[in-house]
Amino acid sequence: MSETLQATDDVEASSPAEAEAEPQSQSKTEDLLVQEGDIAGDYLERLLDLLDYDGDIDLDVESGRAVVSIDGGEDLSKLVGPRGNVLESLQELTRLAVQQETGVRSRLMLDIAQWRAGRRAELAELGRSTAEKVLASGERARLHPMTPFERKVVHDAVAAVAGVHSESEGEEPQRRVIIFPKP
Amino acid sequence: MSLLADALEHLVRGIVDHPDDVRVNLVTTRRGRTLEVHVHPDDLGKVIGRGGRTATALRTVMAGIGGRGVRVDVVDTDR
């Protein structure tokens, strides 16, 4: 299951990207990514205004995707939610709002109050330390279920340790990372 | 309290083909508060999403903002 899963039947036929068979567009032009950020920024800024939450919105383009970061007051923790579940939902809605205007599926990443940055550090440490244990014991290890974002961070951390490898197993939302010793 | 309705209305308007047809009403009954979402019939699929994914995302965001006791109903006006 793709992390950007979304029904696209109703998208205007005017978009050339819709004709592409590959759902994962290779390298979107910088212009389109900047435009994605602008649309997302407007959508989220209006939300913050309506809720009267303090927040500064920062737009960037990193490794082929638009990145939108919101930092500011304590209210923002409500937009992150337990284990980031509100953040994931808001990211999904923001992607839809972008697609509504551009006609192209978006892989935009939303971060709020540095949550992803903090979570990334935690998960990288979890991946690294578990990989070390697997290496020492020779026994595989199964981690708890994670989102696609979380699994990717763990896979990257495991890949940096020689003598082990990792795979994902199971169906969303129960999909989890397994770390194996190399034979 | 209409703050919640305004926020939801904005979130929905951004993802549909007919934003002017979006209406969100806050209805209070004995069972609690419900945000009723009305959209153009052609936009129902967009607001619900594949497997209910988009409606779930809207509910999750509203729960984060408004606390737990608020329900979100997408009203099927095409009946």
Side-chain angles (χ1 to χ4, degrees):
Chain A
M1 190 187 297
S2 155
E3 128 179 58
T4 51
L5 185 75
Q6 142 71 5
T8 50
D9 6 342
D10 281 327
V11 182
E12 333 244 307
S14 60
S15 155
E18 275 309 295
E20 290 177 9
E22 286 282 274
Q24 209 79 314
S25 65
Q26 32 293 67
S27 64
K28 284 186 182 168
T29 66
E30 182 92 4
D31 282 353
L32 176 59
L33 293 173
V34 169
Q35 189 198 355
E36 285 192 8
D38 286 342
I39 297 165
D42 288 346
Y43 186 65
L44 293 164
E45 181 150 35
R46 178 85 181 119
L47 178 67
L48 295 181
D49 280 352
L50 286 169
L51 296 172
D52 202 20
Y53 287 2
D54 279 332
D56 289 324
I57 299 180
D58 186 61
L59 306 176
D60 203 355
V61 172
E62 273 172 32
S63 44
R65 67 164 84 180
V67 179
V68 179
S69 312
I70 310 179
D71 285 294
E74 289 188 3
D75 284 330
L76 292 182
S77 63
K78 296 181 196 167
L79 297 181
V80 174
R83 290 197 65 222
N85 72 336
V86 178
L87 172 61
E88 296 291 347
S89 291
L90 196 54
Q91 172 175 281
E92 177 148 348
L93 295 172
T94 304
R95 286 176 172 182
L96 293 177
V98 168
Q99 178 178 345
Q100 182 65 29
E101 292 211 21
T102 63
V104 182
R105 193 181 296 198
S106 170
R107 296 176 59 239
L108 169 144
M109 184 165 85
L110 173 64
D111 197 7
I112 298 178
Q114 309 277 329
W115 188 83
R116 286 190 198 277
R119 185 79 181 124
R120 187 178 282 126
E122 261 172 49
L123 288 164
E125 176 52 27
L126 175 70
R128 194 198 57 76
S129 63
T130 310
E132 300 286 355
K133 278 186 210 152
V134 168
L135 199 57
S137 68
E139 306 267 329
R140 68 173 64 174
R142 295 172 84 220
L143 301 180
H144 56 79
M146 293 177 184
T147 64
F149 156 76
E150 294 173 319
R151 294 196 305 270
K152 168 147 190 357
V153 176
V154 172
H155 284 306
D156 288 348
V158 172
V161 178
V164 293
H165 79 282
S166 60
E167 290 172 16
S168 292
E169 194 178 272
E171 295 293 320
E172 304 280 9
Q174 293 299 312
R175 202 162 162 77
R176 50 177 77 199
V177 175
I178 319 281
I179 304 176
F180 302 89
K182 273 187 183 155
Chain B
M1 212 18 63
S2 73
L3 179 142
L4 285 179
D6 289 348
L8 182 57
E9 197 165 279
H10 166 67
L11 289 173
V12 173
R13 280 203 170 128
I15 62 171
V16 296
D17 290 331
H18 306 278
D20 292 344
D21 291 4
V22 176
R23 294 282 178 279
V24 176
N25 300 321
L26 178 65
V27 180
T28 308
T29 67
R30 277 169 47 206
R31 296 190 313 162
R33 292 175 301 160
T34 301
L35 291 161
E36 288 184 350
V37 182
H38 299 262
V39 297
H40 191 284
D42 294 347
D43 281 329
L44 267 178
K46 280 198 159 165
V47 176
I48 293 166
R50 187 179 293 173
R53 200 179 152 102
T54 305
T56 300
L58 289 166
R59 287 192 182 100
T60 303
V61 172
M62 295 319 290
I65 295 168
R68 309 238 141 234
V70 188
R71 297 171 6 126
V72 175
D73 264 5
V74 178
V75 179
D76 186 348
T77 50
D78 208 18
R79 284 186 285 220

